[in-house]
PDB file of all heavy atoms in Angstrom:
ATOM      1  N   ASP A   1      94.587  67.156 138.074  1.00  0.00           N
ATOM      2  CA  ASP A   1      94.663  65.682 138.070  1.00  0.00           C
ATOM      3  C   ASP A   1      93.771  65.141 136.989  1.00  0.00           C
ATOM      4  O   ASP A   1      94.168  64.016 136.555  1.00  0.00           O
ATOM      5  CB  ASP A   1      94.394  65.182 139.455  1.00  0.00           C
ATOM      6  CG  ASP A   1      95.311  65.544 140.470  1.00  0.00           C
ATOM      7  OD1 ASP A   1      96.550  65.760 140.180  1.00  0.00           O
ATOM      8  OD2 ASP A   1      94.991  65.611 141.651  1.00  0.00           O
ATOM      9  N   GLN A   2      92.780  65.737 136.641  1.00  0.00           N
ATOM     10  CA  GLN A   2      91.812  65.108 135.689  1.00  0.00           C
ATOM     11  C   GLN A   2      91.739  65.856 134.396  1.00  0.00           C
ATOM     12  O   GLN A   2      91.683  67.101 134.410  1.00  0.00           O
ATOM     13  CB  GLN A   2      90.336  65.179 136.358  1.00  0.00           C
ATOM     14  CG  GLN A   2      89.312  64.460 135.582  1.00  0.00           C
ATOM     15  CD  GLN A   2      88.047  64.324 136.293  1.00  0.00           C
ATOM     16  OE1 GLN A   2      87.873  64.824 137.439  1.00  0.00           O
ATOM     17  NE2 GLN A   2      87.009  63.804 135.710  1.00  0.00           N
ATOM     18  N   ASP A   3      91.782  65.088 133.337  1.00  0.00           N
ATOM     19  CA  ASP A   3      91.775  65.691 132.019  1.00  0.00           C
ATOM     20  C   ASP A   3      90.419  66.279 131.725  1.00  0.00           C
ATOM     21  O   ASP A   3      89.397  65.617 132.111  1.00  0.00           O
ATOM     22  CB  ASP A   3      92.095  64.752 130.878  1.00  0.00           C
ATOM     23  CG  ASP A   3      93.537  64.303 130.974  1.00  0.00           C
ATOM     24  OD1 ASP A   3      94.357  64.905 131.548  1.00  0.00           O
ATOM     25  OD2 ASP A   3      93.844  63.200 130.299  1.00  0.00           O
ATOM     26  N   PRO A   4      90.240  67.391 130.961  1.00  0.00           N
ATOM     27  CA  PRO A   4      88.957  67.894 130.676  1.00  0.00           C
ATOM     28  C   PRO A   4      88.280  67.040 129.663  1.00  0.00           C
ATOM     29  O   PRO A   4      88.969  66.263 128.900  1.00  0.00           O
ATOM     30  CB  PRO A   4      89.211  69.342 130.144  1.00  0.00           C
ATOM     31  CG  PRO A   4      90.652  69.256 129.715  1.00  0.00           C
ATOM     32  CD  PRO A   4      91.308  68.199 130.558  1.00  0.00           C
ATOM     33  N   CYS A   5      87.043  67.185 129.441  1.00  0.00           N
ATOM     34  CA  CYS A   5      86.290  66.382 128.436  1.00  0.00           C
ATOM     35  C   CYS A   5      86.646  66.958 127.073  1.00  0.00           C
ATOM     36  O   CYS A   5      86.889  68.181 126.900  1.00  0.00           O
ATOM     37  CB  CYS A   5      84.771  66.555 128.576  1.00  0.00           C
ATOM     38  SG  CYS A   5      84.140  65.889 130.170  1.00  0.00           S
ATOM     39  N   GLU A   6      86.764  66.045 126.094  1.00  0.00           N
ATOM     40  CA  GLU A   6      87.216  66.359 124.803  1.00  0.00           C
ATOM     41  C   GLU A   6      86.263  67.464 124.184  1.00  0.00           C
ATOM     42  O   GLU A   6      86.665  68.358 123.384  1.00  0.00           O
ATOM     43  CB  GLU A   6      87.192  65.194 123.879  1.00  0.00           C
ATOM     44  CG  GLU A   6      87.823  65.399 122.433  1.00  0.00           C
ATOM     45  CD  GLU A   6      88.028  64.166 121.695  1.00  0.00           C
ATOM     46  OE1 GLU A   6      87.967  63.089 122.267  1.00  0.00           O
ATOM     47  OE2 GLU A   6      88.237  64.341 120.407  1.00  0.00           O
ATOM     48  N   ASN A   7      84.932  67.421 124.458  1.00  0.00           N
ATOM     49  CA  ASN A   7      84.048  68.317 123.888  1.00  0.00           C
ATOM     50  C   ASN A   7      84.141  69.796 124.459  1.00  0.00           C
ATOM     51  O   ASN A   7      83.540  70.692 124.030  1.00  0.00           O
ATOM     52  CB  ASN A   7      82.550  67.843 124.157  1.00  0.00           C
ATOM     53  CG  ASN A   7      82.054  67.825 125.496  1.00  0.00           C
ATOM     54  OD1 ASN A   7      82.932  67.911 126.398  1.00  0.00           O
ATOM     55  ND2 ASN A   7      80.800  67.528 125.715  1.00  0.00           N
ATOM     56  N   GLU A   8      85.004  69.974 125.464  1.00  0.00           N
ATOM     57  CA  GLU A   8      85.323  71.211 126.016  1.00  0.00           C
ATOM     58  C   GLU A   8      86.613  71.815 125.541  1.00  0.00           C
ATOM     59  O   GLU A   8      86.885  73.007 125.834  1.00  0.00           O
ATOM     60  CB  GLU A   8      85.390  71.124 127.610  1.00  0.00           C
ATOM     61  CG  GLU A   8      84.139  70.719 128.248  1.00  0.00           C
ATOM     62  CD  GLU A   8      84.348  70.488 129.755  1.00  0.00           C
ATOM     63  OE1 GLU A   8      85.483  70.373 130.224  1.00  0.00           O
ATOM     64  OE2 GLU A   8      83.307  70.325 130.470  1.00  0.00           O
ATOM     65  N   PHE A   9      87.328  71.094 124.699  1.00  0.00           N
ATOM     66  CA  PHE A   9      88.662  71.568 124.198  1.00  0.00           C
ATOM     67  C   PHE A   9      88.535  72.903 123.514  1.00  0.00           C
ATOM     68  O   PHE A   9      89.392  73.804 123.731  1.00  0.00           O
ATOM     69  CB  PHE A   9      89.301  70.511 123.317  1.00  0.00           C
ATOM     70  CG  PHE A   9      89.887  69.376 124.043  1.00  0.00           C
ATOM     71  CD1 PHE A   9      89.792  69.135 125.477  1.00  0.00           C
ATOM     72  CD2 PHE A   9      90.550  68.375 123.304  1.00  0.00           C
ATOM     73  CE1 PHE A   9      90.219  68.033 126.025  1.00  0.00           C
ATOM     74  CE2 PHE A   9      91.085  67.241 123.891  1.00  0.00           C
ATOM     75  CZ  PHE A   9      90.914  67.137 125.233  1.00  0.00           C
ATOM     76  N   GLY A  10      87.589  73.135 122.679  1.00  0.00           N
ATOM     77  CA  GLY A  10      87.468  74.399 121.893  1.00  0.00           C
ATOM     78  C   GLY A  10      87.286  75.520 122.756  1.00  0.00           C
ATOM     79  O   GLY A  10      87.915  76.555 122.706  1.00  0.00           O
ATOM     80  N   GLU A  11      86.400  75.435 123.719  1.00  0.00           N
ATOM     81  CA  GLU A  11      86.063  76.494 124.689  1.00  0.00           C
ATOM     82  C   GLU A  11      87.381  76.782 125.649  1.00  0.00           C
ATOM     83  O   GLU A  11      87.651  77.904 125.733  1.00  0.00           O
ATOM     84  CB  GLU A  11      84.967  76.106 125.617  1.00  0.00           C
ATOM     85  CG  GLU A  11      84.562  77.107 126.699  1.00  0.00           C
ATOM     86  CD  GLU A  11      83.748  76.656 127.768  1.00  0.00           C
ATOM     87  OE1 GLU A  11      82.944  75.703 127.483  1.00  0.00           O
ATOM     88  OE2 GLU A  11      83.682  77.158 128.876  1.00  0.00           O
ATOM     89  N   ILE A  12      87.969  75.742 126.039  1.00  0.00           N
ATOM     90  CA  ILE A  12      89.234  75.930 126.851  1.00  0.00           C
ATOM     91  C   ILE A  12      90.343  76.637 126.090  1.00  0.00           C
ATOM     92  O   ILE A  12      90.993  77.484 126.579  1.00  0.00           O
ATOM     93  CB  ILE A  12      89.752  74.505 127.376  1.00  0.00           C
ATOM     94  CG1 ILE A  12      88.679  73.999 128.350  1.00  0.00           C
ATOM     95  CG2 ILE A  12      91.063  74.743 128.023  1.00  0.00           C
ATOM     96  CD1 ILE A  12      88.881  72.553 128.786  1.00  0.00           C
ATOM     97  N   ALA A  13      90.426  76.177 124.804  1.00  0.00           N
ATOM     98  CA  ALA A  13      91.415  76.876 123.897  1.00  0.00           C
ATOM     99  C   ALA A  13      91.183  78.389 123.749  1.00  0.00           C
ATOM    100  O   ALA A  13      92.134  79.120 123.846  1.00  0.00           O
ATOM    101  CB  ALA A  13      91.470  76.216 122.582  1.00  0.00           C
ATOM    102  N   GLU A  14      89.912  78.663 123.499  1.00  0.00           N
ATOM    103  CA  GLU A  14      89.643  80.125 123.449  1.00  0.00           C
ATOM    104  C   GLU A  14      89.887  80.904 124.818  1.00  0.00           C
ATOM    105  O   GLU A  14      90.401  82.038 124.712  1.00  0.00           O
ATOM    106  CB  GLU A  14      88.087  80.278 123.003  1.00  0.00           C
ATOM    107  CG  GLU A  14      87.926  79.941 121.635  1.00  0.00           C
ATOM    108  CD  GLU A  14      88.862  80.715 120.640  1.00  0.00           C
ATOM    109  OE1 GLU A  14      88.963  81.912 120.791  1.00  0.00           O
ATOM    110  OE2 GLU A  14      89.493  80.066 119.799  1.00  0.00           O
ATOM    111  N   ARG A  15      89.540  80.290 125.896  1.00  0.00           N
ATOM    112  CA  ARG A  15      89.783  80.966 127.173  1.00  0.00           C
ATOM    113  C   ARG A  15      91.342  81.115 127.363  1.00  0.00           C
ATOM    114  O   ARG A  15      91.702  82.193 127.829  1.00  0.00           O
ATOM    115  CB  ARG A  15      89.307  80.134 128.325  1.00  0.00           C
ATOM    116  CG  ARG A  15      87.748  80.247 128.522  1.00  0.00           C
ATOM    117  CD  ARG A  15      87.178  79.686 129.799  1.00  0.00           C
ATOM    118  NE  ARG A  15      87.962  78.691 130.502  1.00  0.00           N
ATOM    119  CZ  ARG A  15      87.613  77.416 130.762  1.00  0.00           C
ATOM    120  NH1 ARG A  15      86.397  77.070 130.361  1.00  0.00           N
ATOM    121  NH2 ARG A  15      88.369  76.660 131.434  1.00  0.00           N
ATOM    122  N   LEU A  16      92.057  80.045 127.031  1.00  0.00           N
ATOM    123  CA  LEU A  16      93.574  80.176 127.284  1.00  0.00           C
ATOM    124  C   LEU A  16      94.131  81.278 126.287  1.00  0.00           C
ATOM    125  O   LEU A  16      95.087  82.019 126.644  1.00  0.00           O
ATOM    126  CB  LEU A  16      94.240  78.800 127.064  1.00  0.00           C
ATOM    127  CG  LEU A  16      94.024  77.842 128.139  1.00  0.00           C
ATOM    128  CD1 LEU A  16      94.499  76.528 127.757  1.00  0.00           C
ATOM    129  CD2 LEU A  16      94.606  78.303 129.423  1.00  0.00           C
ATOM    130  N   ARG A  17      93.662  81.229 124.978  1.00  0.00           N
ATOM    131  CA  ARG A  17      94.140  82.310 124.103  1.00  0.00           C
ATOM    132  C   ARG A  17      93.800  83.715 124.589  1.00  0.00           C
ATOM    133  O   ARG A  17      94.562  84.609 124.541  1.00  0.00           O
ATOM    134  CB  ARG A  17      93.440  82.134 122.697  1.00  0.00           C
ATOM    135  CG  ARG A  17      94.008  80.919 121.873  1.00  0.00           C
ATOM    136  CD  ARG A  17      93.495  80.937 120.500  1.00  0.00           C
ATOM    137  NE  ARG A  17      94.012  79.802 119.825  1.00  0.00           N
ATOM    138  CZ  ARG A  17      93.277  78.621 119.570  1.00  0.00           C
ATOM    139  NH1 ARG A  17      91.985  78.646 119.964  1.00  0.00           N
ATOM    140  NH2 ARG A  17      93.812  77.719 118.964  1.00  0.00           N
ATOM    141  N   SER A  18      92.645  83.903 125.185  1.00  0.00           N
ATOM    142  CA  SER A  18      92.198  85.174 125.799  1.00  0.00           C
ATOM    143  C   SER A  18      93.091  85.481 126.988  1.00  0.00           C
ATOM    144  O   SER A  18      93.510  86.661 127.136  1.00  0.00           O
ATOM    145  CB  SER A  18      90.723  85.058 126.181  1.00  0.00           C
ATOM    146  OG  SER A  18      90.345  86.253 126.885  1.00  0.00           O
ATOM    147  N   ASP A  19      93.360  84.427 127.792  1.00  0.00           N
ATOM    148  CA  ASP A  19      94.269  84.697 128.912  1.00  0.00           C
ATOM    149  C   ASP A  19      95.608  85.141 128.473  1.00  0.00           C
ATOM    150  O   ASP A  19      96.188  86.110 129.117  1.00  0.00           O
ATOM    151  CB  ASP A  19      94.412  83.355 129.745  1.00  0.00           C
ATOM    152  CG  ASP A  19      93.114  82.975 130.417  1.00  0.00           C
ATOM    153  OD1 ASP A  19      92.119  83.748 130.462  1.00  0.00           O
ATOM    154  OD2 ASP A  19      93.118  81.735 130.790  1.00  0.00           O
ATOM    155  N   LEU A  20      96.201  84.487 127.526  1.00  0.00           N
ATOM    156  CA  LEU A  20      97.532  84.858 126.867  1.00  0.00           C
ATOM    157  C   LEU A  20      97.396  86.309 126.406  1.00  0.00           C
ATOM    158  O   LEU A  20      98.420  87.198 126.746  1.00  0.00           O
ATOM    159  CB  LEU A  20      97.959  83.934 125.772  1.00  0.00           C
ATOM    160  CG  LEU A  20      98.598  82.603 126.256  1.00  0.00           C
ATOM    161  CD1 LEU A  20      98.759  81.696 125.129  1.00  0.00           C
ATOM    162  CD2 LEU A  20      99.871  82.851 127.093  1.00  0.00           C
ATOM    163  N   LEU A  21      96.413  86.682 125.706  1.00  0.00           N
ATOM    164  CA  LEU A  21      96.272  87.955 125.139  1.00  0.00           C
ATOM    165  C   LEU A  21      96.231  89.008 126.349  1.00  0.00           C
ATOM    166  O   LEU A  21      96.892  90.045 126.172  1.00  0.00           O
ATOM    167  CB  LEU A  21      94.981  88.062 124.300  1.00  0.00           C
ATOM    168  CG  LEU A  21      94.849  89.337 123.513  1.00  0.00           C
ATOM    169  CD1 LEU A  21      95.915  89.602 122.582  1.00  0.00           C
ATOM    170  CD2 LEU A  21      93.409  89.311 122.884  1.00  0.00           C
ATOM    171  N   ARG A  22      95.579  88.794 127.373  1.00  0.00           N
ATOM    172  CA  ARG A  22      95.454  89.632 128.500  1.00  0.00           C
ATOM    173  C   ARG A  22      96.864  89.855 129.139  1.00  0.00           C
ATOM    174  O   ARG A  22      97.255  90.943 129.426  1.00  0.00           O
ATOM    175  CB  ARG A  22      94.487  89.172 129.503  1.00  0.00           C
ATOM    176  CG  ARG A  22      94.460  89.924 130.748  1.00  0.00           C
ATOM    177  CD  ARG A  22      93.087  90.448 131.075  1.00  0.00           C
ATOM    178  NE  ARG A  22      93.135  91.375 132.201  1.00  0.00           N
ATOM    179  CZ  ARG A  22      92.878  91.029 133.449  1.00  0.00           C
ATOM    180  NH1 ARG A  22      92.606  89.805 133.772  1.00  0.00           N
ATOM    181  NH2 ARG A  22      93.048  91.894 134.409  1.00  0.00           N
ATOM    182  N   LEU A  23      97.502  88.779 129.413  1.00  0.00           N
ATOM    183  CA  LEU A  23      98.899  88.856 130.038  1.00  0.00           C
ATOM    184  C   LEU A  23      99.841  89.521 129.109  1.00  0.00           C
ATOM    185  O   LEU A  23     100.788  90.315 129.561  1.00  0.00           O
ATOM    186  CB  LEU A  23      99.402  87.384 130.372  1.00  0.00           C
ATOM    187  CG  LEU A  23      98.543  86.758 131.513  1.00  0.00           C
ATOM    188  CD1 LEU A  23      99.102  85.342 131.709  1.00  0.00           C
ATOM    189  CD2 LEU A  23      98.564  87.542 132.789  1.00  0.00           C
ATOM    190  N   VAL A  24      99.717  89.307 127.795  1.00  0.00           N
ATOM    191  CA  VAL A  24     100.633  90.044 126.858  1.00  0.00           C
ATOM    192  C   VAL A  24     100.371  91.514 126.844  1.00  0.00           C
ATOM    193  O   VAL A  24     101.272  92.345 126.919  1.00  0.00           O
ATOM    194  CB  VAL A  24     100.469  89.418 125.377  1.00  0.00           C
ATOM    195  CG1 VAL A  24     101.090  90.356 124.371  1.00  0.00           C
ATOM    196  CG2 VAL A  24     101.040  87.978 125.261  1.00  0.00           C
ATOM    197  N   ALA A  25      99.051  91.847 126.870  1.00  0.00           N
ATOM    198  CA  ALA A  25      98.706  93.273 127.007  1.00  0.00           C
ATOM    199  C   ALA A  25      99.204  93.924 128.247  1.00  0.00           C
ATOM    200  O   ALA A  25      99.707  95.087 128.200  1.00  0.00           O
ATOM    201  CB  ALA A  25      97.246  93.442 126.920  1.00  0.00           C
ATOM    202  N   ILE A  26      99.187  93.128 129.362  1.00  0.00           N
ATOM    203  CA  ILE A  26      99.675  93.760 130.640  1.00  0.00           C
ATOM    204  C   ILE A  26     101.124  93.993 130.586  1.00  0.00           C
ATOM    205  O   ILE A  26     101.665  95.004 130.965  1.00  0.00           O
ATOM    206  CB  ILE A  26      99.356  92.855 131.793  1.00  0.00           C
ATOM    207  CG1 ILE A  26      97.813  92.804 132.089  1.00  0.00           C
ATOM    208  CG2 ILE A  26     100.126  93.154 133.044  1.00  0.00           C
ATOM    209  CD1 ILE A  26      97.303  91.685 133.004  1.00  0.00           C
ATOM    210  N   ALA A  27     101.910  92.947 130.018  1.00  0.00           N
ATOM    211  CA  ALA A  27     103.370  93.079 129.942  1.00  0.00           C
ATOM    212  C   ALA A  27     103.773  94.239 128.954  1.00  0.00           C
ATOM    213  O   ALA A  27     104.689  95.010 129.363  1.00  0.00           O
ATOM    214  CB  ALA A  27     104.003  91.749 129.437  1.00  0.00           C
ATOM    215  N   ASN A  28     102.963  94.349 127.867  1.00  0.00           N
ATOM    216  CA  ASN A  28     103.357  95.446 126.966  1.00  0.00           C
ATOM    217  C   ASN A  28     102.978  96.798 127.497  1.00  0.00           C
ATOM    218  O   ASN A  28     103.787  97.745 127.368  1.00  0.00           O
ATOM    219  CB  ASN A  28     102.539  95.266 125.560  1.00  0.00           C
ATOM    220  CG  ASN A  28     103.188  94.015 124.769  1.00  0.00           C
ATOM    221  OD1 ASN A  28     104.340  93.774 124.834  1.00  0.00           O
ATOM    222  ND2 ASN A  28     102.358  93.478 123.979  1.00  0.00           N
ATOM    223  N   ALA A  29     101.873  96.890 128.157  1.00  0.00           N
ATOM    224  CA  ALA A  29     101.462  98.162 128.852  1.00  0.00           C
ATOM    225  C   ALA A  29     102.526  98.627 129.843  1.00  0.00           C
ATOM    226  O   ALA A  29     102.754  99.855 130.044  1.00  0.00           O
ATOM    227  CB  ALA A  29     100.038  98.069 129.457  1.00  0.00           C
ATOM    228  N   ALA A  30     103.106  97.624 130.597  1.00  0.00           N
ATOM    229  CA  ALA A  30     103.998  97.885 131.647  1.00  0.00           C
ATOM    230  C   ALA A  30     105.405  98.268 131.018  1.00  0.00           C
ATOM    231  O   ALA A  30     106.317  98.761 131.731  1.00  0.00           O
ATOM    232  CB  ALA A  30     104.079  96.794 132.623  1.00  0.00           C
ATOM    233  N   GLY A  31     105.620  97.995 129.748  1.00  0.00           N
ATOM    234  CA  GLY A  31     106.852  98.152 129.146  1.00  0.00           C
ATOM    235  C   GLY A  31     107.951  97.207 129.608  1.00  0.00           C
ATOM    236  O   GLY A  31     109.129  97.580 129.657  1.00  0.00           O
ATOM    237  N   ASP A  32     107.567  96.065 130.039  1.00  0.00           N
ATOM    238  CA  ASP A  32     108.497  95.089 130.574  1.00  0.00           C
ATOM    239  C   ASP A  32     109.464  94.667 129.549  1.00  0.00           C
ATOM    240  O   ASP A  32     109.149  94.206 128.463  1.00  0.00           O
ATOM    241  CB  ASP A  32     107.660  93.850 131.160  1.00  0.00           C
ATOM    242  CG  ASP A  32     108.586  93.072 132.123  1.00  0.00           C
ATOM    243  OD1 ASP A  32     109.833  92.986 131.867  1.00  0.00           O
ATOM    244  OD2 ASP A  32     108.048  92.409 132.987  1.00  0.00           O
ATOM    245  N   ARG A  33     110.820  94.865 129.821  1.00  0.00           N
ATOM    246  CA  ARG A  33     111.854  94.456 128.865  1.00  0.00           C
ATOM    247  C   ARG A  33     112.739  93.335 129.404  1.00  0.00           C
ATOM    248  O   ARG A  33     113.814  93.046 129.021  1.00  0.00           O
ATOM    249  CB  ARG A  33     112.774  95.649 128.618  1.00  0.00           C
ATOM    250  CG  ARG A  33     112.077  96.777 127.894  1.00  0.00           C
ATOM    251  CD  ARG A  33     111.734  96.328 126.404  1.00  0.00           C
ATOM    252  NE  ARG A  33     110.660  97.212 126.005  1.00  0.00           N
ATOM    253  CZ  ARG A  33     109.588  96.780 125.392  1.00  0.00           C
ATOM    254  NH1 ARG A  33     109.450  95.402 125.218  1.00  0.00           N
ATOM    255  NH2 ARG A  33     108.674  97.566 124.926  1.00  0.00           N
ATOM    256  N   ASP A  34     112.124  92.654 130.450  1.00  0.00           N
ATOM    257  CA  ASP A  34     112.874  91.436 131.015  1.00  0.00           C
ATOM    258  C   ASP A  34     113.079  90.422 129.902  1.00  0.00           C
ATOM    259  O   ASP A  34     112.112  90.093 129.157  1.00  0.00           O
ATOM    260  CB  ASP A  34     112.075  90.900 132.180  1.00  0.00           C
ATOM    261  CG  ASP A  34     112.649  89.594 132.798  1.00  0.00           C
ATOM    262  OD1 ASP A  34     113.577  89.785 133.508  1.00  0.00           O
ATOM    263  OD2 ASP A  34     112.017  88.601 132.482  1.00  0.00           O
ATOM    264  N   ALA A  35     114.284  89.893 129.804  1.00  0.00           N
ATOM    265  CA  ALA A  35     114.542  88.887 128.635  1.00  0.00           C
ATOM    266  C   ALA A  35     113.616  87.714 128.751  1.00  0.00           C
ATOM    267  O   ALA A  35     113.119  87.253 127.747  1.00  0.00           O
ATOM    268  CB  ALA A  35     116.005  88.472 128.718  1.00  0.00           C
ATOM    269  N   GLN A  36     113.403  87.253 129.953  1.00  0.00           N
ATOM    270  CA  GLN A  36     112.515  86.048 129.970  1.00  0.00           C
ATOM    271  C   GLN A  36     111.121  86.329 129.660  1.00  0.00           C
ATOM    272  O   GLN A  36     110.474  85.542 128.942  1.00  0.00           O
ATOM    273  CB  GLN A  36     112.608  85.483 131.537  1.00  0.00           C
ATOM    274  CG  GLN A  36     111.874  84.120 131.676  1.00  0.00           C
ATOM    275  CD  GLN A  36     112.091  83.518 132.966  1.00  0.00           C
ATOM    276  OE1 GLN A  36     112.925  83.960 133.801  1.00  0.00           O
ATOM    277  NE2 GLN A  36     111.398  82.444 133.262  1.00  0.00           N
TER     278      GLN A  36
END
């Protein structure tokens, strides 16, 4: 419900990039070929 402070945007972006990288690694390691 509440927007984060603008001075936290850089840190949040790095965390989300790291989160995406982790999930991508999990999907690739599992060999998931689901189209979605």
Side-chain angles (χ1 to χ4, degrees):
D1 294 334
Q2 187 174 356
D3 292 344
C5 297
E6 188 175 344
N7 63 350
E8 297 175 347
F9 284 4
E11 176 192 340
I12 293 169
E14 287 308 309
R15 285 194 336 242
L16 289 171
R17 283 187 185 104
S18 175
D19 296 344
L20 280 174
L21 187 61
R22 172 123 189 264
L23 294 175
V24 166
I26 289 170
N28 286 334
D32 196 332
R33 296 291 161 227
D34 178 74
Q36 189 173 350

